[in-house]
C-alpha cells in the first residue's frame, strides 16, 4: 500500500505562524535536494529543500520581506506572480527584465507590499527552467475582520499542480535549444509534489486530503506546471468557483476546472457525498497536434470515518482535446462586480494594440532540421538583454533596448490560417512605451504559424480585464461592439484560444518595466515575450522608487 502523504489543513482563523502584524519575513534558501518522485533521484533545485516550495501567508496590505539566498550553481531570481508591485518593480523578479540574477553565493531581499490585493497567487523562479521545481503558493487573506464575499469555509487547502522530469530540466531545454526543436515532455504531472501511485515505481504515494462530512472547504488550486494547461476534477463532487488569479468572480458550479500555467483558481468544495474516498485528478488540455505529457496525476480526498480498506471512487479526466469543456469553463468566468468589489473597466482606450502571437521557423545551419523553432509577437522574437531592462530604463543606459515595439503586425495577413511558408521572424529587444495612467487595449491574436495553439499570456505589474474573445481573426468593427465592459473577468494570465483572440484592457498606473509573455515556458524560451515601459507620473507615489542597495548586479 502506498505511503499516503498526510496534509496539514489551514485554518482561516489560525494560520501556522501567522501573528497579526503587517510585516512578514521569510527566508528562502535555494539548495539542491534529491527528490525522488518517479524512483529516479536526480538532485533538483529547491527552496528550503522542499518541492513544492514553502507557502507564503500574508494579509492584504502587508509588507513582505523575503530574503533569497542562492546556495546552488545556477543563477536564480524569484517572481511573485500576480502581485502588482506598485512602485517596487525591483522586486518583481524576472531575470534581465527587472533585476540581474542572484548569482551563486549571493542574496537579495525582495521587499514589497501587497497593496489592495488578496487571494491566491504563486511565486516561482523566473530564470531558465528552474520554476519546474522552484515554486509555491502565496495566500493573501483579506484584511482582519473583512469576510470573503462567500460563506466562510470550514478550512482551506492548497493544491499545487506541477510537472516532473526524470532528467535535469536544464538539460532538457538546453538540448532543445541546441537542436532547434521542441523539448522532451515531462514524465509526470504532480499534485502537491506527487504524481500519485504509479505502476513503475513501487511505494510511490499520493497526496491525500482529509475532510469532514458536511463541511465546506476552500481549495486554492494553482497551476505551476511549465508547459501544460491542466484540468482538475474530484470524483463526484461539484466545485463552486469563487475566485481566479486573486480576483473574485460570480460563483458558478462545475465538475472540472481548467487552469493554465500561472493561473490560480479558488473553489468551494462541500463534502456532501457518502463517507468514503474519492479520486482527485489533474490531466492536460491540448487541442493542437503537439506531443505532450498525457499522464494523469492523481490524489485522494477522504472523509473522516472512511475505513482504511475503502477503495477510492474513480473519475475519468477529460480527454486532452476536450475543447468544449475548456471553452465552457472560460465562458463561465465573470467578475463579481459587487459594491465592495466593483469592476472598473477602462471605457476609453489610448493605445489600441494588436499583437499577433505564435511560432515561427528561422534558418539554422547547426540545428537538427536546418531550422530553429522560434516564437514571436508581431514578428519580433524577443532577445534577452544581458543587463536588466529596468536598470537600463531607470539609469538611462543606452544600447540595451529600443522603445519601438510594433503596436500592430508589420504586415497584416490571415493570422489564423495555417501557414507553412515564410515563417521567419526578426529578433530584437524592443519595448513599448506608454505614459503613466494611459489606458491600453491589447488584442492578443493567435496565429496559425506551423499550427494554431493555445497561449496563456501573462502580464506583470497589472491585472487586466478580458473584455472580449473569439475564434478566427479579430475584426475591430464587429468584435469591439460585443465587448463586455460591465463584468469581464479580471486576471493576470489569460489563455488565447487556439486559432482565436482575446482582448484585454488595463490602466498603466504602475511605473516601471513590465514583462508580457507566454506562460508556457517553452514558448517563452523561444521568444514569445516583450515588455512595456510605463513612465513616471507627476504626482506623489507615481514614480518608480530607486533600487534597493542589495539589488543584484550583472
Ligand atoms: C543525491 O543522491 C546521490 C546518489 O544517491 C548522491 O551521490 C548525491 O550526493 C545526492 N545529492 C544531494 C544534493 O543530496
Ligand atoms: C523596504 O522598502 C521600504 C521602502 O519601500 C523601506 O522603507 C524599507 O527600509 C525596506 N526594508 C528593507 C528591510 O529593506
Ligand atoms: C530526450 O528524449 C530523447 C528520446 O527519448 C532522449 O534520447 C534524450 O536523452 C532526452 N533528453 C534529455 C535531456 O533527457
Ligand atoms: C499518451 O501519449 C503516448 C505517447 O505519445 C501515446 O502512446 C498514448 O497513446 C497516449 N495516451 C492517451 C490516452 O492519449
Ligand atoms: C479527440 O481525440 C480522439 C483521439 O484521441 C478523437 O477520437 C476525437 O475525435 C478527438 N475529439 C475532438 C473533439 O477532436
Ligand atoms: C517577419 O520578418 C521576416 C524577416 O524580415 C520576414 O521574412 C517575414 O516575412 C516577416 N513575417 C511576417 C508575417 O511579417
Ligand atoms: C487617470 O486618467 C483618468 C482618466 O483620464 C483620470 O480620471 C484620472 O484622474 C487619472 N489618474 C491619475 C492618477 O492621473
Ligand atoms: C503615498 O504613499 C504613502 C506610503 O505608501 C502613503 O502613506 C501616502 O498616503 C501616499 N500618498 C498618496 C497621495 O497617495
Ligand atoms: C549569472 O549571471 C551573470 C550576470 O548576468 C552572468 O555573468 C553569468 O554568466 C551567469 N552565470 C551562469 C552560470 O549562467
Ligand atoms: Cu505560448
Amino acid at each position: 500500500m502506498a505511503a499516503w502523504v498526510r496534509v496539514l489543513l489551514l485554518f482561516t482563523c489560525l494560520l501556522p505562524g501567522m501573528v497579526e502584524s503587517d510585516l512578514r519575513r521569510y527566508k528562502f534558501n535555494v539548495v539542491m535536494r534529491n527528490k525522488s518522485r518517479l524512483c529516479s533521484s536526480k538532485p533538483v533545485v529547491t527552496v528550503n529543500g522542499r518541492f513544492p516550495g514553502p507557502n507564503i501567508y500574508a494579509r492584504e496590505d502587508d509588507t513582505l520581506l523575503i530574503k533569497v539566498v542562492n546556495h546552488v550553481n545556477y543563477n536564480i531570481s524569484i517572481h511573485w506572480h500576480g502581485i502588482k508591485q506598485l512602485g517596487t518593480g525591483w522586486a518583481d523578479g524576472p531575470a534581465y527584465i527587472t533585476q540581474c540574477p542572484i548569482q551563486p553565493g549571493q542574496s537579495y531581499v525582495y521587499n514589497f507590499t501587497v497593496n489592495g490585493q488578496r487571494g491566491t497567487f504563486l511565486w516561482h523562479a523566473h530564470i531558465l527552467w528552474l520554476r519546474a521545481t522552484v515554486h509555491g503558493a502565496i495566500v493573501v487573506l483579506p484584511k482582519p475582520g473583512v469576510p470573503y464575499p462567500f460563506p466562510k469555509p470550514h478550512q482551506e487547502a492548497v493544491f499545487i499542480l506541477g510537472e516532473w522530469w526524470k532528467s535535469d530540466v536544464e538539460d532538457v531545454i538546453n538540448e532543445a535549444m541546441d537542436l532547434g526543436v521542441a523539448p522532451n515532455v515531462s514524465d509526470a504531472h504532480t499534485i502537491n509534489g506527487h504524481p500519485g501511485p504509479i505502476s513503475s515505481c513501487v511505494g510511490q504515494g499520493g497526496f491525500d486530503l482529509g475532510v469532514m462530512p458536511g463541511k465546506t472547504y476552500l481549495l486554492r488550486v494553482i497551476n505551476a506546471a511549465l508547459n501544460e494547461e491542466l484540468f482538475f476534477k474530484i470524483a463526484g463532487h461539484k466545485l463552486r468557483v469563487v475566485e481566479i488569479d486573486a480576483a473574485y468572480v460570480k460563483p458558478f458550479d462545475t465538475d472540472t476546472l481548467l487552469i493554465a500555467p500561472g493561473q490560480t483558481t479558488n473553489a468551494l468544495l462541500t463534502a456532501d457525498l457518502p463517507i468514503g474516498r474519492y479520486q482527485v485528478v489533474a490531466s492536460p488540455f491540448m487541442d493542437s497536434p503537439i506531443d505532450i505529457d498525457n499522464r494523469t496525476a492523481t490524489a485522494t480526498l477522504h472523509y473522516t470515518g472512511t475505513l482504511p480498506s475503502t477503495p477510492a471512487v474513480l473519475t475519468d479526466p477529460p480527454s486532452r482535446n476536450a475543447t468544449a469543456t475548456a471553452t465552457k469553463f472560460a465562458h463561465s468566468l465573470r467578475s463579481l462586480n459587487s459594491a465592495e468589489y466593483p469592476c472598473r473597466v477602462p471605457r476609453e482606450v489610448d493605445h489600441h494594440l494588436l499583437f499577433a502571437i505564435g511560432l515561427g521557423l528561422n534558418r539554422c545551419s547547426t540545428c537538427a532540421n536546418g531550422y530553429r523553432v522560434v516564437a514571436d509577437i508581431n514578428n519580433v522574437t524577443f532577445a534577452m538583454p544581458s543587463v536588466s531592462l529596468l536598470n537600463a530604463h531607470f539609469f538611462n543606459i543606452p544600447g540595451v533596448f529600443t522603445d519601438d515595439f510594433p503596436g500592430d503586425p508589420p504586415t497584416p495577413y490571415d493570422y489564423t490560417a495555417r501557414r507553412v511558408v515564410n515563417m521567419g521572424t526578426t529578433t530584437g529587444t524592443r519595448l513599448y512605451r506608454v505614459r503613466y495612467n494611459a489606458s491600453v487595449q491589447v488584442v492578443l491574436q493567435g496565429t496559425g504559424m506551423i499550427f494554431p495553439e493555445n497561449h496563456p499570456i501573462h502580464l506583470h505589474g497589472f491585472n487586466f480585464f478580458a473584455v472580449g474573445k473569439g475564434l478566427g481573426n479579430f475584426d475591430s468593427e464587429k468584435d469591439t461592439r460585443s465587448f463586455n465592459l460591465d463584468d469581464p473577468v479580471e486576471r493576470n494570465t489569460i489563455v488565447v484560444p487556439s486559432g482565436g483572440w482575446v482582448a484585454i484592457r488595463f490602466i498603466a498606473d504602475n511605473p516601471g518595466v513590465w514583462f508580457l509573455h507566454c506562460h508556457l515556458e517553452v514558448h517563452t524560451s523561444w521568444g514569445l515575450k516583450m515588455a512595456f515601459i510605463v513612465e513616471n507620473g507627476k504626482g506623489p507615489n507615481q514614480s518608480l522608487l530607486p533600487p534597493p542597495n542589495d539589488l543584484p548586479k550583472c
Side-chain angles (χ1 to χ4, degrees), residues 361 371 413-414 417-424 448-452:
L361 281 181
Y371 285 93
Y413 59 100
D414 183 358
R418 183 141 177 221
R419 180 164 167 145
V420 290
V421 293
N422 194 16
M423 292 189 284
M449 290 278 184
I450 308 184
F451 27 64

Side-chain angles (χ1 to χ4, degrees), residues 57-96:
Y57 298 97
R59 283 195 188 276
E60 179 176 342
D61 290 350
D62 282 355
T63 293
L64 286 164
L65 289 175
I66 304 156
K67 181 172 185 176
V68 177
V69 188
N70 186 357
H71 301 279
V72 304
N73 287 326
Y74 292 105
N75 283 339
I76 193 89
S77 76
I78 308 277
H79 171 51
W80 319 95
H81 186 117
I83 307 278
K84 291 180 187 169
Q85 302 289 0
L86 281 167
T88 53
W90 308 104
D92 191 38
Y96 302 107

Side-chain angles (χ1 to χ4, degrees), residues 103-345:
Q103 296 184 36
Q106 295 184 349
S107 65
Y108 178 44
V109 178
Y110 289 89
N111 176 355
F112 57 90
T113 300
V114 191
N115 290 115
Q117 291 183 279
R118 85 303 301 165
T120 306
F121 304 83
L122 71 155
W123 59 265
H124 61 77
H126 213 307
I127 184 167
L128 308 170
W129 269 29
L130 298 182
R131 83 172 158 90
T133 51
V134 179
H135 62 244
I138 306 175
V139 174
V140 180
L141 298 174
K143 286 186 257 195
V146 176
Y148 292 126
F150 46 81
K152 187 176 186 298
H154 175 60
Q155 287 175 344
E156 307 190 6
V158 171
F159 279 87
I160 303 182
L161 314 180
E163 271 182 289
W164 188 264
W165 275 260
K166 287 181 183 171
S167 299
D168 184 312
V169 284
E170 292 309 317
D171 292 344
V172 171
I173 183 59
N174 289 340
E175 176 186 68
M177 294 306 275
D178 286 346
L179 299 174
V181 300
N184 290 357
V185 300
S186 52
D187 297 298
H189 293 110
T190 55
I191 297 175
N192 286 344
H194 297 269
I198 42 179
S199 55
S200 59
C201 181
V202 178
Q204 174 64 59
F207 177 83
D208 180 47
L209 176 70
V211 295
M212 279 163 67
K215 301 285 191 195
T216 296
Y217 295 79
L218 180 65
L219 310 187
R220 299 176 179 268
V221 193
I222 298 171
N223 186 345
L226 285 190
N227 293 322
E228 284 169 1
E229 289 177 42
L230 294 166
F231 289 118
F232 179 87
K233 244 179 115 171
I234 303 179
H237 290 77
K238 286 264 178 257
L239 295 166
R240 174 161 295 187
V241 178
V242 291
E243 179 201 300
I244 48 142
D245 290 7
Y248 294 127
V249 297
K250 291 193 173 73
F252 68 95
D253 290 342
T254 178
D255 56 11
T256 308
L257 309 181
L258 175 62
I259 313 178
Q263 294 183 334
T264 68
T265 302
N266 284 7
L268 296 170
L269 166 112
T270 298
D272 55 3
L273 292 188
I275 286 176
R277 204 181 297 282
Y278 296 87
Q279 191 180 39
V280 180
V281 295
S283 71
F285 168 57
M286 169 56 82
D287 57 359
S288 300
I290 286 171
D291 194 20
I292 55 160
D293 174 5
N294 59 14
R295 297 170 189 85
T296 299
T298 62
T300 49
L301 182 77
H302 85 268
Y303 285 48
T304 305
T306 305
L307 297 174
S309 59
T310 310
V313 176
L314 304 180
T315 185
D316 282 330
S319 64
R320 65 166 271 181
N321 58 359
T323 307
T325 306
T327 307
K328 183 168 173 241
F329 185 78
H331 281 338
S332 304
L333 295 168
R334 292 275 184 288
S335 277
L336 180 59
N337 194 22
S338 63
E340 293 83 9
Y341 303 96
C343 188
R344 296 201 177 91
V345 188

Side-chain angles (χ1 to χ4, degrees), residues 32-34 41 43:
M32 301 302 293
R33 274 298 145 82
N34 279 333
S41 63

